[in-house]
Amino acid sequence: MRSEPKAVLLDRDGTIVVDVPYNGDPDRVVAMPGALETLNTLRADGVPLGVLTNQSGIARGLITEHQVAAVNQRVDAVLGPFDVWEICPHGPDDGCTCRKPAPGMILRACEKLGLHPSEVAFIGDIGADVEAAAAAGAMGVLVPTPVTRQEEIDAAPLKADTLAEAVALLRGAA
């Protein structure tokens, strides 16, 4: 029997907002269906929330850190406020410790929240999200989208069809 997480960390693109590859335009931020209601339920219950996002477009020269910050501000305006934000600006070959599936962003978010990774859950839409949670010692839940590969779905220990279902699963109601 696992206990309910003390904080919920979320992937940005494809999990709480519609994935727009290398989005540098805040006007293109669109919430995933049901995301605001689900996040507000967690907030009403006093559960801290964080957003962790790989943004390799910065390393690739496709978007700037300023553009990512503007998009994140829009996400915060549409779905926030969030208690913690973590961004990895590195590319897949940079060897950093923060780019998912590495656990760095989860570990930093936990440190900022004053929680042990075993006390948090991370919800994302691809295998790297679930792998990062496992590497950090957190609970991971996969909410697949059309871009999620079948092998990622098959490998995920916890899966849900929607963000709301993922939260219900974490809270033992599913």
Side-chain angles (χ1 to χ4, degrees):
M1 177 84 179
R2 64 180 178 264
S3 62
E4 192 171 314
K6 293 183 180 178
V8 175
L9 306 174
L10 306 132
D11 173 56
R12 190 186 83 178
D13 303 317
T15 302
I16 60 171
V17 298
V18 173
D19 187 10
V20 176
Y22 308 114
N23 186 17
D25 182 358
D27 291 335
R28 296 187 71 192
V29 170
V30 176
M32 291 293 280
L36 181 61
E37 296 80 7
T38 301
L39 297 172
N40 281 342
T41 297
L42 288 165
R43 285 186 191 99
D45 291 341
V47 177
L49 301 173
V51 180
L52 286 57
T53 179
N54 285 349
Q55 292 298 319
S56 68
I58 296 169
R60 298 170 199 257
L62 301 171
I63 51 177
T64 67
E65 287 186 38
H66 177 76
Q67 288 173 308
V68 169
V71 168
N72 289 345
Q73 286 176 334
R74 180 68 182 151
V75 172
D76 219 40
V78 171
L79 294 171
F82 293 95
D83 298 285
V84 64
W85 278 87
E86 290 292 333
I87 298 126
C88 172
H90 305 107
D93 299 325
D94 289 346
C96 68
T97 59
C98 53
R99 180 176 171 78
K100 297 174 287 177
M105 287 192 286
I106 294 174
L107 297 174
R108 282 199 313 263
C110 288
E111 186 176 321
K112 290 177 181 178
L113 293 169
L115 296 171
H116 188 273
S118 64
E119 299 176 297
V120 306
F122 183 57
I123 302 171
D125 66 318
I126 62 172
D129 297 322
V130 176
E131 291 170 28
M139 184 180 307
V141 181
L142 183 71
V143 180
T145 67
V147 302
T148 312
R149 296 189 324 260
Q150 186 62 47
E151 59 266 24
E152 295 172 323
I153 297 168
D154 294 343
L158 293 174
K159 302 174 255 305
D161 291 332
T162 66
L163 182 60
E165 288 179 21
V167 170
L169 179 67
L170 291 168
R171 296 183 132 187

